[in-house]
Every structure is written in structure tokens, then in C-alpha cells.
């Protein structure tokens, strides 16, 4: 299928720790952002003449604003525990994709401008001037990090390279060095309201289409409401759910669950995006602006509950940051968590016996579940730690007869990223994405061989897009990729309201 | 009472190092404490209460829980090294305390064993650092310096214990004198002088190097934050409120 031939890692079912291959990924670069997006977002369109001073000043500002950055710059002891944990190192073999080496790119500049030893001793204290070359290195390797936090899990000090990547990107943006895919996405989300740049009427017409489709398939008039004032639930979901495959299948799942539960719900055309790429580039204001649209939608539509669709980083922003960014949610019904994940919602209904699920509808499938990294390591579902692992699995088990987990070192908190989060779902770096997904593919291959797994269940819009794209490179069908609520959608028995 | 030049030099050095150490560490702690954590970023699954988060931090400090997940061999070396180091330091409190409390008395025996283990642990860590290609790549002068310094401190200490045996009472007199501003002459045993100097270098080096990981870990937001963003609103000090 591919025009360009890439070196696709061989599938063995094992994840081997490779030897170092310096500069193996040095040539992989995201495209620069167009001038228009840079300007719209308040950044210079190209490297400003006094970029060095500006960059150091921005760095200083961030060090004062974020304890994480400040502490993480200081306390790494180079123990090496993180060196074999990043999917990009495992996939590309490039030593600068080892989390500590990635962080070191920023740290050496930190030492030069912000520590006495670095100022006095220079290279001897591993300090380095901020030069064009260093900045290029930043651009390369800080756009080879999906901010998945796998490194932070294993670090004795919890050093989270994601925080460091975010800071580096923010510094680069400020001096005029931005990457196209994340910044364009941020711009669309701020100005149009969703990452795909789709206006409200376009969304409405796909929703109409879905209503017809579901009616045709099931005979039941399941509604896909938008901009309904006073609905019980406001659903915020990634815009990919409206247009992309297999994302739409999960949207159908949500709609059927609401229908069956007899709970009125609505989407918002103004806040038609759960995703928040503002986080990826470390810009607090962008993140707040994108989330701010949801606050407006709440004020306008006056829902009682706020429910969130299937998306990994978006759930991180929603769960961990919304209350800070756009809270408090005083107008919502305090009986329910705000926001609530659609999986929490469905799980609750299943537990109360409010949904009738026919597992045999999914008998064609041997299902396995990919814990999205942002859900696994940066958020929670349910009331106790780790609910984010149990709840989606419980839903899957309730909707199919055959479920198998992948190798324990590759799931739950130790899950491997899909290789395209963090603003890396860009076409020009497909080579990197193919290599980054390698550890996950090995784990999938293993359960394919042992259990015949053939359905790869997800709760993340980016994961869905990435896996449908890379599966064929590895020789798998993209139809094997789907959402957890896609399984729900297939299994749910509509009609004969049983109430809640 | 007259003091030799040597005593004056060593006394001044000790005070200098102590001031640099205390001042440096306090400064670091102040900066960390003052810098805000604008967002909730615990690495999850995380405890949902502040108390739980405290336990989590303690489990990192005392047991190196995350490192255990990360690399069992490094964990082994790290735990042995740090515990041995702690016991050796506690054993040395006898130079500062008079009369010697019973608990410190009871630590003397195990302190010696720890003193023997310490350089072995350092060698083990050095070996790991220099044999795994990934750690070779990330290691720098500073990493070797810290380990080497501690190795020689432990080595000279053991030499005094098992080989040279300078007069203990003199050492205690000198150190205790420094601590209580009741000065007495520095012992002239060369091994002691080297040992003492290296320790002072370590103290002064501590706040300005990666060794600040010791106080730093308590401030790591991914470990010390409770996972309760939905239950209690985390307010950002520098962000405006929305309505
Ligand atoms: S695990 Fe943490 S302390 Fe160890 S090298 Fe990696 S970032 Fe540094
Ligand atoms: S956050 Fe993820 S992608 Fe980034 S360095 Fe760590 S493990 Fe690699
Ligand atoms: S797309 Fe999924 S796996 Fe990839 S970074 Fe986002 S949450 Fe993680």
C-alpha cells in the first residue's frame, strides 16, 4: 500500500533492547508551521534576530512557573533506569531518544545559563551554549517524544520527560520555531472549535447521516443531538468521532448507551472538540482557551452533567486540568463527577443492569485492549487508583466472550504509547511513527500468535488514527482497530427500555 | 592556647564547607518550595489523598520503589549504597554527640559493616555505569566524580579503622570542638586529613550538583501530588479565573 518503502521493524513478539545507533533518527523532522498559524497563535513567523536572548528569557520564566521543570532540571542522577523505557528509543535505536538523553538536550543549556558551575566551568560541567545547532537538535528530538510519561513511571525521582518536552517546545515556539501539525491543530481548535476545522453545519449533517444509519441497521430511532439546551448531559468528544473511521463507531456506541439509559444528551457545535493540543506544546494560555470553549458551552446549554468521549490526552486534560482551567463546575449536578468518562458512565449502567448486552454479537473477535498512555499514567477513572485499567476491561468483558491481555510489561501503567501522540500524528514523520509503535506491535503479535487476537480495542482518538495507519505496514488489517464503545455498539440490545 | 596553622586551616575549611552546604541546600529547598506547581501531574495510578502521597514519597525515599520497577540491578546497587551511606553517617554522629546516646552506640557495629559495604557498592555502581552502553552514553565527568569521591572517602575511612588507627580521642576532640566552638588541635595523621578534606569537598559540592536529588525528590510533583483533581480544585497561582 505504501508508496515509499520504509524499514518496518520485524515482528517477533519480543521487545528487544537495541544497541545504540547514534543519529539514527536525526533526520526525522516535523514540518515547520506556516506563517499564518504562527501569527495567529502569537508567535513570530521565523527565528527572530535576538532568538537566543528570547529563548533564555523564556526558559527563565518557565523555570519560575513550573516546579516540575525546575526540579527535573536539577535532580537527575543519570541512573539509567529510563534509558530502555521509551518506545522511540526501542524503535529507532537513536540514543537521543533515551529519555535522559532527550532531557539532557535542555539540561545542558540550563546548566550554561542557570547554574554557577555551568557558567564558570562550561563544557567541563556539561554546560553548552544555546546555538543554532543545539536548537535544531531540540527541534528534532523534542518532536520525537509523545509525552507518554512511560519514563516517569520508572524514574526514582519521577522525572517526567513530557514536562521537559513541553517546556522545550514552548521555548521554540516563542522564538519562532514551531511545528506544523500541532500548531495548526491548536489554531483550528481555538478559532473554529475543533481540531479538524469542521464548522457546525458539517457536523450536524454527519450526525443526521448517523441517525439514519443507525435507524437503518437497528430499526430504532437513536438520536444524535447537538446544541440542545437543558439536556441532562453535555458530551465532549474528539471531533474525529464525527468523521473518522473507526471513531464514528464509538460515537454510535455512546448514542446507543444514552438512548438505552433514557438520559437526554447533547453535543455542542461551539465546543466540538475534546482534544487539547495546547498541552502538547506546553502553552498554558492555548490550553486554557481551547478548554474555555467548553465553559462557554456549559453556560449556554446548562447541562447537569459533563461526559467525555474516548480520547487519551484529552481525558488527561479533562480529568486533571479542567477543574483548574475552567472550573469550578458549580452549575453541574454535584452527584456526578465532573467531568465523567464515557467508560465510567457505561460501566455504571452495566453494573446497575441498565443495559442489555449480547456478547455473541462480538463472537468474531478475540479482543485485546491497549491502555492509552495518557489515561493510564496521567488520569484516572472510577473512585480508586487504577480504575482506568479495570473499567474499560470490565466493559469489554461485558460485551464479548473472548478477551485477552497483552504482556504485563506492556499494559496498564507500563503501557507503551501508540507512537503518534503528543502532536506527532503527522504524515511527514510516518517513519518515526512506524518505529515508535514497534513495542506495541510486538506485544500484539504475541497475543495474536498465542490467542488469535484480532480486535485491538482503544479509547483514544489519536491511537485509533495511528493504529489504523500503521497496522497495514506491519501486515495487519486496519479493520482490527476499533473503539471500546464500538464493541458496546455492536453488543447493546436496543429497545424495550428497562430504565435506569 | 596556641593553635597550629594546620588547625586553623582545617577549622576554617570545615566551617566554610558547612556554611556552603547548609546555605546551598536551604537555598535549593527555598527555590523549589517557592516555585508553583500549576497543574496536577501525579504519575498515575497515584494515591488519592495527601497522606497517601506522603507515603508514596517515603516509599521512594526509603525503598526506591520506582527504581525497583525500572531496573532491578540498579535498584539493588542503589539501595545498598544509600543505606550503607546512611548508616555510616549515623555512625559518625558519635564524633558530634557527648555523651553518646544508646541508639547511636548500638549502631556502631552495623555501621562498620556498612562502611565495608559502601565502597563495594560504589564499585558495583561504577561497573554498571561503565559496562552498559546506554549508561556509558549518558554518563559524564560529574557522575564519575561523585562516585569516585565517595569511594575515596570510604577507603580512607576504612584505612583508619583497620590499618592506620590514629588516636580516636584526638579526632573526637577536634570534631566535637568544631561543633561546640570549643576548639582543639587537628590530628596530624595524614590519612585522617585526606579523609576529612574529601568529606568537606563532598559537603560543598552537594548543593550545586546532582546530589540535590536528596532534598529534590520531596518536591517532585509527579510523586508528591495526590490524585484528586475532580474532588478538589487545584488553583494555579498565576492563571486568571474564568467565570
Ligand atoms: S531514571 Fe530518572 S534519574 Fe535515572 S537517568 Fe532517567 S531521568 Fe535520570
Ligand atoms: S515521555 Fe514517552 S516519548 Fe517522551 S521520552 Fe518519556 S517515554 Fe519517551
Ligand atoms: S494517542 Fe493514545 S497511546 Fe498515543 S499518546 Fe495519545 S493516549 Fe498515548
Amino acid at each position: 500500500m505504501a508508496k515509499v518503502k520504509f524499514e518496518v521493524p520485524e515482528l517477533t513478539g519480543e521487545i528487544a533492547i537495541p544497541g545504540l545507533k547514534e543519529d539514527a533518527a536525526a533526520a526525522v523532522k516535523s514540518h515547520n508551521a506556516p506563517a499564518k498559524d504562527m501569527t495567529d497563535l502569537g508567535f513570530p513567523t521565523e527565528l527572530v534576530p535576538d532568538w537566543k536572548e528570547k529563548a533564555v528569557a523564556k526558559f527563565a520564566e518557565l523555570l519560575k512557573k513550573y516546579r516540575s521543570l525546575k526540579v527535573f532540571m536539577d535532580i537527575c542522577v543519570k541512573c539509567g533506569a529510563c534509558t530502555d523505557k521509551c518506545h522511540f528509543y526501542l524503535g529507532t535505536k537513536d540514543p537521543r531518544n533515551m529519555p535522559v538523553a532527550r532531557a539532557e538536550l535542555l539540561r545542558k543549556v540550563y546548566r550554561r545559563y542557570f547554574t554557577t558551575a555551568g557558567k564558570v566551568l562550561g563544557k567541563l560541567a556539561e554546560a553548552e551554549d544555546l546555538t543554532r545547532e543545539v536548537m535544531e537538535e531540540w527541534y528534532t528530538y523534542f518532536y520525537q517524544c509523545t509525552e507518554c510519561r512511560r519514563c516517569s513511571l520508572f524514574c526514582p525521582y519521577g522525572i517526567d520527560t513530557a514536562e521537559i518536552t513541553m517546556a522545550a517546545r514552548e521555548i521554540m515556539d516563542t522564538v519562532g520555531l514551531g511545528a506544523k501539525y500541532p500548531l495548526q491543530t491548536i489554531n483550528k481548535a481555538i478559532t473554529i472549535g475543533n481540531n479538524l476545522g469542521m464548522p457546525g453545519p458539517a457536523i450536524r449533517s454527519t450526525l443526521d447521516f448517523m441517525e439514519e444509519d443507525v435507524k437503518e441497521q437497528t430499526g430504532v430511532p437513536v438520536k444524535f443531538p447537538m446544541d440542545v439546551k437543558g439536556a441532562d448531559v453535555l458530551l465532549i468528544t474528539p471531533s474525529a468521532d464525527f468523521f473518522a473511521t473507526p471513531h464514528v463507531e464509538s460515537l454510535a456506541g455512546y448514542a446507543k448507551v444514552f438512548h438505552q439509559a433514557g438520559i437526554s444528551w447533547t453535543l455542542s457545535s461551539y465546543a466540538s472538540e475534546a482534544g487539547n493540543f495546547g498541552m502538547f506544546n506546553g502553552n498554558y494560555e492555548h490550553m486554557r482557551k481551547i478548554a474555555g470553549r467548553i465553559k462557554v458551552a456549559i453556560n449556554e446549554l446548562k447541562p447537569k452533567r459533563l461526559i467525555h468521549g474516548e480520547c487519551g490526552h484529552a481525558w488527561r486534560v479533562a480529568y486533571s486540568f479542567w477543574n483548574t482551567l475552567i472550573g469550578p463546575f458549580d452549575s453541574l449536578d454535584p452527584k456526578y463527577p465532573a467531568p465523567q468518562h464515557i467508560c465510567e458512565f457505561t460501566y455504571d449502567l452495566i453494573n446497575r443492569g441498565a443495559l442489555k448486552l449480547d456478547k455473541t454479537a462480538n463472537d468474531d473477535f478475540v479482543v485485546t485492549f491497549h491502555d492509552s498512555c495518557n489515561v493510564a499514567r496521567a488520569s484516572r477513572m472510577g473512585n480508586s487508583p487504577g480504575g482506568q485499567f479495570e473499567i474499560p476491561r470490565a466493559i469489554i468483558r461485558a460485551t464479548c466472550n473472548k478477551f485477552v491481555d497483552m504482556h504485563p510489561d506492556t499494559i496498564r501503567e507500563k503501557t507503551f504509547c501508540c507512537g503518534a501522540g503528543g502532536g506527532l500524528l503527522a504524515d511527514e514523520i510516518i517513519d518515526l511513527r512506524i518505529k515508535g509503535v514497534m513495542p506495541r506491535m510486538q506485544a500484539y503479535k504475541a497475543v495474536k500468535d498465542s490467542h488469535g487476537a484480532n480486535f485491538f480495542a482503544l479509547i483514544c482518538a489519536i491511537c485509533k488514527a495511528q493504529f489504523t495507519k500503521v497496522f497495514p505496514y506491519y501486515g495487519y488489517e486496519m479493520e482490527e482497530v476499533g473503539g471500546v464503545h464500538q464493541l458496546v455498539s455492536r453488543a447493546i440490545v436496543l429497545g424495550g427500555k428497562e430504565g435506569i | 592556647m596556641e593553635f597550629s596553622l594546620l588547625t586553623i586551616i582545617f577549622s576554617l575549611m570545615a566551617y566554610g564547607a558547612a556554611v556552603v552546604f547548609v546555605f546551598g541546600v536551604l537555598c535549593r529547598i527555598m527555590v523549589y518550595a517557592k516555585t508553583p506547581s500549576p497543574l496536577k501531574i501525579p504519575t498515575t495510578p497515584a494515591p488519592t489523598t495527601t497522606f497517601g502521597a506522603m507515603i508514596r514519597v517515603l516509599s521512594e525515599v526509603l525503598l526506591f520503589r520506582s527504581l525497583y520497577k525500572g531496573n532491578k540491578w540498579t535498584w539493588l546497587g542503589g539501595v545498598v549504597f544509600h543505606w550503607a551511606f546512611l548508616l555510616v553517617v549515623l555512625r559518625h554522629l558519635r564524633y558530634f554527640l557527648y555523651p553518646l546516646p544508646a541508639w547511636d552506640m548500638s549502631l556502631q557495629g552495623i555501621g562498620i559493616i556498612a562502611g565495608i559495604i559502601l565502597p563495594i557498592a560504589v564499585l558495583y555502581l561504577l561497573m554498571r555505569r561503565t559496562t552498559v552502553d546506554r549508561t556509558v552514553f549518558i554518563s559524564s565527568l560529574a557522575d564519575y566524580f561523585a562516585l569516585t569521591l565517595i569511594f575515596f572517602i570510604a577507603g580512607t575511612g576504612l584505612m583508619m579503622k583497620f590499618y592506620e588507627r590514629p588516636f580516636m580521642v584526638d579526632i573526637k576532640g577536634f570534631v566535637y570542638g568544631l561543633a561546640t566552638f570549643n576548639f582543639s588541635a587537628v590530628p596530624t595523621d595524614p590519612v585522617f586529613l585526606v579523609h576529612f578534606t574529601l568529606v568537606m569537598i563532598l559537603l560543598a559540592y552537594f548543593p550545586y550538583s546532582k546530589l540535590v536529588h536528596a532534598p529534590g525528590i520531596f518536591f517532585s510533583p509527579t510523586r508528591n501530588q495526590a490524585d484528586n483533581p475532580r474532588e478538589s480544585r487545584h488553583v494555579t497561582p498565576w492563571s486568571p479565573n474564568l467565570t
Side-chain angles (χ1 to χ4, degrees), chain A residues 340-352:
Chain A
Q340 188 175 30
H341 195 284
I342 187 75
C343 285
E344 293 177 306
F345 176 73
T346 301
Y347 174 70
D348 202 39
L349 291 169
I350 294 173
N351 274 350
R352 287 191 283 149

Side-chain angles (χ1 to χ4, degrees), chain B residues 49-121:
Chain B
T49 61
T50 311
F51 179 73
M54 275 164 56
I55 301 289
R56 182 187 199 183
V57 171
L58 282 183
S59 77
E60 296 293 355
V61 172
L62 299 176
L63 304 173
F64 300 14
R65 207 166 133 248
S66 293
L67 184 56
Y68 183 76
K69 283 182 204 163
N71 189 315
K72 305 269 184 291
W73 291 108
T74 308
W75 174 83
L76 184 69
V79 163
V80 171
F81 167 78
H82 282 83
W83 276 99
F85 195 95
L86 177 70
L87 286 170
V88 168
V89 169
L90 288 178
R91 182 180 133 83
H92 279 70
L93 283 182
R94 67 184 180 148
Y95 295 103
F96 296 89
L97 302 172
Y98 185 83
L100 196 60
W103 63 266
D104 201 31
M105 194 73 148
S106 65
L107 281 178
Q108 296 301 313
I110 187 161
I112 298 211
I113 299 172
I116 298 169
I117 292 175
L118 184 62
I120 302 174

Side-chain angles (χ1 to χ4, degrees), chain A residues 129-148:
Chain A
D129 278 328
L130 181 55
T131 59
R132 239 0 276 263
E133 289 72 49
V134 170
M135 193 78 130
E136 276 306 314
E137 261 184 339
W138 284 10
Y139 190 79
T140 306
Y141 292 105
F142 288 119
Y143 285 100
Q144 295 190 18
C145 168
T146 42
E147 304 176 357
C148 76

Side-chain angles (χ1 to χ4, degrees), chain A residues 144-165:
Chain A
Q144 295 190 18
C145 168
T146 42
E147 304 176 357
C148 76
R149 315 186 93 201
R150 193 167 194 267
C151 44
S152 116
L153 175 73
F154 299 102
C155 173
Y157 316 113
I159 293 175
D160 181 6
T161 313
E163 293 287 309
I164 294 166
T165 295

Side-chain angles (χ1 to χ4, degrees), chain A residues 75-83 100 107 154-157 159, chain B residues 138:
Chain A
I75 66 173
C76 170
V77 298
K78 313 253 193 78
C79 72
C82 62
T83 53
V100 43
R107 220 174 253 132
F154 299 102
C155 173
Y157 316 113
I159 293 175
Chain B
I138 60 171

